[in-house]
Amino acid sequence: MARAVITLTAFTVAERVLGFLFKIYLSREIGAVGMGVYSVALSFFFVLLTLLTSGVPLVVSKLTAKTSRTDSARLCSAALIFETIVAIVVCAVVLLFNKPIGALFADGFSMTLVLLMLPALLFSGVYSAFRGVLWGEKKFATVSVVELIEQVARIAVCVVLFSLFTDKTKAVATSMTGACLISAIACAIFYFAGGRKLKSPKTQFKPLISSSVPITLSRTTSSVNNYVIAIAVPFLLMSSGLNTDQSMYIYGSCVGMSLPLLYLPITVVGSLAFVMIPTLSQAYAENDKASMQKQIENALTFSLVIAAIVLPVYASLGDDLGTFIYNNTDAGIFLKKSAWLLIPLSFENIASSMLNSLDLEKKSLINYLIGAGVMYVISFAFYSRFTIDVFMIAFGISLIVSSVLDVIDIKRRTGFKLTFVKPAVICLSGFFPAYMLCEYLSSLIPYALLSMFVSAAGGCAFMTLNAVIFGAIKIGNTEAAASEKKSAKRFAFLSRKRARTDKNVKINRAS
């Protein structure tokens, strides 16, 4: 698991860094208003993409892990046909009702961008079918390489299109279609290069559709919520007296620019969640409660420790980071104020994945909806007085509510102990001195980039040292694990040696 997490994290970090640099480039090219309009269009596009591709690759991966290569080929063919049909239907519906749908956007130009991205749905459907098989065969590195290819392709295509389009926002939307086409081709090449084939899908449609539809509905809800946020936040900002451009500027600079920065440090948590799905599912299927409890306790603790280590850096340097990266002071201010969201974001990420592994998908959906409902109640309670700070608080409370409900359901199912509370308290106790250290180091160095680097390194080092000294991170566990692994190897060697001896004795007796 550790090897898989490290591999996934390495590729994901590379992909996120490229995406992050690309977002900086975009923000400087199309501005905060353009980012706001594009973010709204992208949120709706992701609803369509989730509806099309969220359940199928997961189901294909699970079934592939349990079946022969022949059945896997049939399953892939079924997924390709199913995804293609759904993509065509979705595109037709959007084209037919594009005017009523476009009327829901704060800026009607967002619908134009959605139409430019529609062909990407078809290519993504092809990609998800092949990806599901590779994921089921545990070809994590291959899947990560394809995703990295997609990110590189999108950047390259966008840069080329900037020289062809007078409207750069349209170029950004079109680059999504080009990148999805390239990733679909790359994934198909990797699929067939491994000697895999496509076979008659007749027997695989029913299990594929029956298993994927519930997962798709669950995940689509999350994307729909993001789309509603993209509509509700500008609307509420306008209710406070702002015009369309002002509201889109605030939404683009704060939500479009700052929130992606918050997700960067918890990339490793996402990798752990991805790898945990099959391992925790296996432990649950075997009713191995000890293994389930240990995995859950360690993963929840890990998510909190990672978020806590980065928290003082964002809290201290958030405004400088936003200004340096995006050349946008408002994005930096929002990043600094919203740094505390790292904790609930990281925790909810891993907890919701655990529910899916424990066959509690419905509970995960219900908990998510309850949290989202709380967010909307708080936000609309400030109608005509709404600010982006209100949204930040409402969003954080929704994550906390969902996380608490997730923990309750996980505890009912597995009976794990709340051992993550102590490490969390230990880590958070070091926040204020680490924050002051970052502020002090930042004031010593006049050069902005060097100052941020030294301050960030000092803050993270202090938080890590605090966690190690007071027991939130237990280095001794690694030594114990190594000793246990060494003993297991020796036991296996002696067992093989004894088996060979017994076999020789039997042969001699027979002679």
Side-chain angles (χ1 to χ4, degrees):
M1 182 184 287
R3 191 182 300 113
V5 170
I6 291 171
T7 301
L8 281 172
T9 301
F11 277 103
T12 306
V13 166
E15 181 190 348
R16 292 278 178 89
V17 168
L18 285 174
F20 177 62
L21 295 174
F22 180 54
K23 184 154 284 191
I24 297 172
Y25 174 68
L26 287 184
S27 67
R28 293 175 182 270
E29 289 290 330
I30 65 178
V33 175
M35 283 295 293
V37 174
Y38 174 65
S39 297
V40 171
L42 198 62
S43 64
F44 180 72
F45 172 76
F46 281 147
V47 173
L48 304 178
L49 190 64
T50 304
L51 181 65
L52 180 69
T53 63
S54 60
V56 170
L58 181 59
V59 172
V60 171
S61 68
K62 286 184 177 181
L63 295 178
T64 296
K66 301 175 184 178
T67 59
S68 63
R69 191 166 246 204
T70 301
D71 288 336
S72 175
R74 293 193 179 99
L75 187 64
C76 187
S77 299
L80 282 171
I81 295 171
F82 177 69
E83 291 281 67
T84 302
I85 293 173
V86 174
I88 293 173
V89 171
V90 170
C91 290
V93 170
V94 174
L95 287 171
L96 189 62
F97 297 100
N98 72 88
K99 290 185 178 180
I101 296 173
L104 298 174
F105 295 117
D107 191 312
F109 187 65
S110 294
M111 193 63 216
T112 303
L113 302 183
V114 171
L115 295 178
L116 290 173
M117 291 187 281
L118 274 185
L121 293 176
L122 182 60
F123 305 138
S124 298
V126 173
Y127 163 78
S128 67
F130 291 126
R131 178 181 181 270
V133 175
L134 297 174
W135 183 12
E137 293 180 359
K138 297 183 180 180
K139 305 292 184 182
F140 297 124
T142 303
V143 173
S144 299
V145 167
V146 174
E147 292 176 351
L148 190 60
I149 289 173
E150 180 181 349
Q151 189 67 267
V152 173
R154 191 177 176 210
I155 296 171
V157 171
C158 187
V159 172
V160 172
L161 291 177
F162 272 175
S163 62
L164 302 176
F165 281 69
T166 34
D167 190 328
K168 291 186 176 181
T169 314
K170 289 184 179 180
V172 178
T174 308
S175 69
M176 174 70 76
T177 298
C180 289
L181 172 61
I182 293 171
S183 65
I185 294 172
C187 204
I189 290 172
F190 280 115
Y191 177 87
F192 290 110
R196 303 172 189 87
K197 298 180 181 179
L198 296 176
K199 295 185 179 293
S200 174
K202 292 181 181 179
T203 59
Q204 299 298 327
F205 281 113
K206 187 175 179 180
L208 175 68
I209 296 172
S210 61
S211 299
S212 63
V213 168
I215 298 172
T216 298
L217 292 176
S218 176
R219 296 193 174 185
T220 301
T221 304
S222 174
S223 293
V224 169
N225 182 50
N226 292 333
Y227 169 59
V228 174
I229 289 173
I231 295 175
V233 171
F235 169 76
L236 288 170
L237 288 170
M238 285 189 285
S239 75
S240 301
L242 301 179
N243 60 35
T244 302
D245 285 346
Q246 290 171 332
S247 63
M248 294 309 296
Y249 168 81
I250 293 175
Y251 180 79
S253 60
C254 297
V255 179
M257 296 180 184
S258 298
L259 280 186
L261 278 173
L262 287 174
Y263 283 94
L264 274 178
I266 58 175
T267 297
V268 64
V269 178
S271 299
L272 176 62
F274 185 83
V275 175
M276 268 193 73
I277 289 175
T279 57
L280 187 57
S281 296
Q282 182 180 359
Y284 174 67
E286 296 171 354
N287 198 28
D288 187 350
K289 286 195 173 182
S291 176
M292 284 191 291
Q293 291 171 356
K294 186 176 181 181
Q295 288 187 55
I296 291 168
E297 291 166 8
N298 289 341
L300 292 176
T301 301
F302 178 76
S303 68
L304 289 171
V305 169
I306 290 295
I309 287 174
V310 186
L311 177 59
V313 176
Y314 273 35
S316 173
L317 305 175
D319 49 352
D320 295 330
L321 285 170
T323 304
F324 176 77
I325 294 170
Y326 294 119
N327 195 27
N328 188 302
T329 305
D330 293 321
I333 293 172
F334 180 78
L335 179 63
K336 184 170 185 174
K337 289 181 178 179
S338 61
W340 64 276
L341 290 174
L342 277 169
I343 302 295
L345 271 174
S346 181
F347 192 88
E348 198 274 339
N349 189 335
I350 199 75
S352 60
S353 295
M354 290 175 181
L355 287 178
N356 294 332
S357 299
L358 297 171
D359 292 341
L360 293 171
E361 293 90 352
K362 290 182 180 179
K363 286 287 187 180
S364 176
L365 174 60
I366 292 171
N367 296 345
Y368 177 81
L369 289 175
I370 292 173
V374 170
M375 178 183 68
Y376 288 118
V377 168
I378 295 173
S379 297
F380 279 90
F382 286 85
Y383 184 82
S384 76
R385 295 173 290 128
F386 183 81
T387 65
I388 202 67
D389 292 335
V390 172
F391 169 72
M392 172 189 67
I393 295 170
F395 181 54
I397 292 174
S398 74
L399 291 171
I400 293 171
V401 170
S402 297
S403 298
V404 170
L405 295 174
D406 288 346
V407 169
I408 292 172
D409 289 327
I410 295 170
K411 187 170 178 60
R412 285 175 179 170
R413 178 58 60 95
T414 65
F416 84 102
K417 298 179 181 178
L418 305 179
T419 55
F420 63 85
V421 174
K422 182 179 178 181
V425 172
I426 291 172
C427 288
L428 292 176
S429 66
F431 166 73
F432 184 71
Y435 170 82
M436 295 303 296
L437 177 63
C438 287
E439 291 283 310
Y440 175 70
L441 292 175
S442 179
S443 65
L444 290 179
I445 304 173
Y447 305 103
L449 183 59
L450 181 61
S451 172
M452 285 189 291
F453 178 79
V454 172
S455 300
C460 290
F462 182 91
M463 290 294 286
T464 304
L465 189 62
N466 174 71
V468 171
I469 291 175
F470 294 100
I473 300 176
K474 298 180 180 178
I475 304 297
N477 286 353
T478 305
E479 298 173 358
S483 176
E484 184 179 348
K485 185 177 181 181
K486 186 176 180 181
S487 300
K489 285 184 176 180
R490 178 167 178 77
F491 177 77
F493 170 76
L494 293 175
S495 298
R496 289 194 299 269
K497 185 176 180 181
R498 182 174 180 179
R500 286 195 297 269
T501 303
D502 291 344
K503 184 178 181 181
N504 292 333
V505 169
K506 290 180 180 180
I507 291 173
N508 290 333
R509 287 176 178 173
S511 301

